Amino acid sequence: MWRALLFLPLLLVIVLFAVSNMQPVQVGLWPFDLTWQTPLALAVLLIAALAFLLGALVAWAAAGPSRRRARARIRAGEAAQAELNELRAREAKRVEAETTARDQAMYSGTGSRAVRVIG
């Protein structure tokens, strides 16, 4: 919804600009002897699109180190989580073994058939 509210006025301005500036202009590329004739709106919008893409490329390249650090931190977090899970499982086995040994010691000489319910 919010994207449409932002996108539609921009699209309307671009369309109105294109319709209002259809007169042909001659576009040349300086170091080369290239010229071509195109509508003014197409020339301006093409240059704006290229500038936008160049800016997006620069922003993407500038964010590279941050993305690399984020990936390293994610890997470190996953490794720490795996280690924590392993330690929890090891501690649970140790507690279970101690509990079983204590129960066996407690009920070994009584002849009782007590059953420990886990859950």
Side-chain angles (χ1 to χ4, degrees):
M1 176 68 181
W2 289 105
R3 287 183 184 179
L5 289 175
L6 295 174
F7 181 70
L8 289 177
L10 180 63
L11 183 63
L12 180 66
V13 168
I14 290 172
V15 168
L16 289 175
F17 176 79
V19 170
S20 300
N21 294 293
M22 292 303 293
Q23 57 272 28
V25 294
Q26 192 168 7
V27 179
L29 191 58
W30 168 66
F32 309 107
D33 197 21
L34 296 173
T35 59
W36 67 91
Q37 197 163 359
T38 184
L40 176 63
L42 180 64
V44 170
L45 292 175
L46 183 64
I47 290 171
L50 289 174
F52 173 80
L53 291 175
L54 179 63
L57 178 67
V58 168
W60 176 79
S66 296
R67 287 192 309 271
R68 193 170 22 263
R69 281 192 308 270
R71 283 192 301 269
R73 288 178 180 155
I74 288 171
R75 283 192 299 272
E78 289 172 349
Q81 185 65 43
E83 183 180 359
L84 178 62
N85 290 341
E86 179 185 335
L87 291 172
R88 282 180 176 166
R90 192 181 313 158
E91 182 66 15
K93 284 181 183 178
R94 186 188 66 76
V95 168
E96 180 66 27
E98 285 180 1
T99 305
T100 303
R102 188 182 65 231
D103 289 349
Q104 286 175 353
M106 183 183 297
Y107 296 113
S108 64
T110 64
S112 172
R113 299 255 182 214
V115 177
R116 183 166 171 258
V117 179
I118 299 174

